Amino acid sequence: MTPAETAFPRLVAHTTRLDADIDLITVAGAQGVLFEQSGAGLAGRGVAMRIKLPIGQDRLEAAAELTHQTLSHIETHDEVGLTGCGPLAFGALPFENDSPGEMIIPSLIVGRSDDGARWVTTIQPLDGAPISTEEQLQTLETPKPPTATNPTRFSVQAMQSPTSWCYGVAEAVKAMSSGSLDKVVLAREILIEADAPLIVSEILERLRIAYPSSMIYAVGGFIGASPELLVSRNGDVVRSHPMAGTAPRRGDPAVDARQAASLLASSKDRDEHQITIDMVLDAILPFCSYVDSEPEPSIVSIANVHHLASLVEGRLSLPPASVLSLVAALHPTPAVCGWPREVALELIQKLEPFDRGLYTGPVGWVDANGNGRFAVAIRCAEITDNQARLFAGNGLVAGSDPRTELAETQAKLQALLTAIVRP
């Protein structure tokens, strides 16, 4: 056995078709992993292995190599052969380079494709006592906590006053007058405290219902519903769906239609959006034989806001780069950081009075072949017992109005607020 082989635990993965239609949120439970969109996706429970990731400027590229090596050393028996079968690593990775992160290889993974095909993958020690798929699936039948334990009272506290945040926006706009900065994203943080532990699975179910087209995700207690695809890779096809430019929805169809038309016609928002599209194209191009974006942005409407969005799609050069290598090239995009990147990061560190943690980082999954999907971790919350930390940010450009930007962050916060705080 070579030294490289001895560095990894001896694991075996078995993937078989699944006849039962098991709910993916049920699979994830309170501390599992989930990545689902429009009914299709993946969920996992248990931990076959944790991959601790390095910190520093090249951490995501190092993560791509380390995760590939780890997954490739798992002996795999796949009877289904679809993307998402076999051993997978899931992760929610920090926004900052100097924050530690990890990828998790679950011991049980359930998948569902767009056409309704279902499968289950079990991962266990190669020399251990075999555990049947049926035995593992039985562990999913844990009943939900009784209704009596549901929280009934909530307090919501802004960790930075609206006045203070608006002052930061004004300072950012002032900094852009020098011409060295085109855009910066500033975020807000709020804290929710309940009178009983928050039930993650119920919050995820509400997000699924309220935001059916978004990517519903969970990694432990970090959960969310992101409309923004950072990057996906399936074979040699790469896609990204960046969003920049936002307007709140009011719930009145006529008013919402006017808001969407106004957003599409806004030169400020179109300029902000183009900064992100240009960066995404430039970042992906070195990996591709062909890449392009839609000629004009479109409106993506979710329950509480409209976004400007443009689909980017390309063909990867051979051998195709891992989705994690593409994540490394893209993160952080101007949609969550600003541009130029380093100047924007310096201003964020100066003006944001908190550590973003996993907020606006990449969240998703990767397989041994480098296929996978990662969303931008927005519309999210960090759940710990009876507390939830929520975040929302807005892209600022020259001429941004602090009160208008504050209203947009409040609209974005509603996604998780309405899913957590119940009457």
Side-chain angles (χ1 to χ4, degrees):
M1 185 176 295
T2 67
E5 290 174 325
T6 60
F8 300 94
R10 302 178 68 220
L11 300 173
V12 59
H14 293 274
T15 300
T16 56
R17 292 197 178 273
L18 183 62
D19 294 327
D21 191 11
I22 296 176
D23 185 81
L24 295 182
I25 291 177
T26 301
V27 175
Q31 291 297 320
V33 294
L34 172 73
F35 197 94
E36 177 191 272
Q37 185 176 26
S38 303
L42 297 154
R45 179 179 288 200
V47 178
M49 187 176 177
R50 295 183 186 272
I51 307 171
K52 298 295 183 182
L53 303 180
I55 61 174
Q57 189 68 35
D58 299 323
R59 65 189 175 105
L60 293 175
E61 188 56 55
E65 180 61 26
L66 182 57
T67 303
H68 170 71
Q69 289 180 4
T70 305
L71 290 170
S72 298
H73 276 77
I74 298 175
E75 183 179 311
T76 300
H77 304 275
D78 181 4
E79 300 175 11
V80 180
L82 297 174
T83 301
C85 293
L88 306 174
F90 293 76
L93 305 177
F95 173 75
E96 295 282 1
N97 287 328
D98 57 358
S99 298
E102 67 175 13
M103 300 292 287
I104 298 169
I105 302 175
S107 54
L108 175 72
I109 304 167
V110 174
R112 184 190 294 116
S113 65
D114 291 328
D115 63 4
R118 299 180 296 272
W119 63 90
V120 59
T121 300
T122 59
I123 303 171
Q124 54 198 74
L126 187 61
D127 54 0
I131 303 173
S132 70
T133 298
E134 290 74 16
E135 288 178 290
Q136 295 230 34
L137 290 176
Q138 286 174 4
T139 66
L140 304 181
E141 298 176 2
T142 306
K144 290 182 181 179
T147 304
T149 66
N150 287 358
T152 57
R153 292 191 301 275
F154 304 86
S155 67
V156 181
Q157 177 185 4
M159 304 308 288
Q160 183 183 16
S161 72
T163 300
S164 176
W165 191 81
C166 286
Y167 173 79
V169 172
E171 288 296 297
V173 172
K174 188 187 301 181
M176 280 183 267
S177 64
S178 67
S180 62
L181 183 66
D182 297 322
K183 174 184 176 181
V184 67
V185 178
L186 288 186
R188 299 173 59 210
E189 174 193 16
I190 67 173
L191 179 68
I192 297 174
E193 291 195 73
D195 61 350
L198 297 165
I199 301 173
V200 169
S201 60
E202 293 189 0
I203 298 170
L204 289 170
E205 287 174 356
R206 293 177 199 132
L207 290 173
R208 175 196 275 168
I209 293 168
Y211 304 94
S213 63
S214 292
M215 289 162 279
I216 310 301
Y217 59 86
V219 179
F222 182 68
I223 66 171
S226 176
E228 186 169 358
L229 175 67
L230 178 62
V231 64
S232 70
R233 190 207 116 178
N234 189 355
D236 66 347
V237 177
V238 58
R239 292 188 177 93
S240 180
H241 201 201
M243 298 182 179
T246 304
R249 296 186 69 186
R250 307 299 183 189
D252 181 308
V255 173
D256 286 344
R258 288 196 296 271
Q259 290 278 84
S262 178
L263 178 62
L264 201 55
S266 166
S267 58
K268 168 194 171 291
D269 290 290
R270 292 285 289 261
D271 289 346
E272 177 190 344
H273 185 73
Q274 196 60 48
I275 290 170
T276 298
I277 298 303
D278 290 344
M279 178 269 170
V280 170
L281 288 169
D282 288 345
I284 291 179
L285 181 59
F287 299 94
C288 293
S289 58
Y290 165 82
V291 65
D292 203 359
S293 66
E294 293 176 311
E296 293 289 328
S298 58
I299 294 290
V300 172
S301 298
I302 56 177
N304 56 338
V305 294
H306 300 294
H307 290 295
L308 281 181
S310 296
L311 178 64
V312 174
E313 184 169 320
R315 294 279 178 174
L316 295 168
S317 305
L318 298 178
S322 164
V323 68
L324 271 173
S325 295
L326 298 167
V327 167
L330 286 166
H331 177 74
T333 72
V336 296
C337 173
W339 194 258
R341 180 183 286 172
E342 294 307 319
V343 181
L345 283 169
E346 289 180 10
L347 194 58
I348 288 169
Q349 290 168 353
K350 176 182 176 182
L351 296 177
E352 282 187 2
F354 63 94
D355 181 353
R356 288 192 182 186
L358 303 178
Y359 167 64
T360 62
V363 57
W365 61 272
V366 60
D367 70 12
N369 296 316
N371 298 306
R373 284 171 62 85
F374 278 81
V376 181
I378 54 177
R379 313 297 190 273
C380 60
E382 293 179 357
I383 308 291
T384 307
D385 297 325
N386 66 330
Q387 290 189 339
R389 292 178 69 209
L390 277 62
F391 311 88
N394 236 36
L396 311 175
V397 294
S400 288
D401 173 68
R403 290 294 166 184
T404 301
E405 303 296 341
L406 178 67
E408 289 188 16
T409 64
Q410 290 170 334
K412 292 174 179 177
L413 285 166
Q414 287 303 310
L416 268 293
L417 274 171
T418 54
I420 295 172
V421 178
R422 310 303 292 171

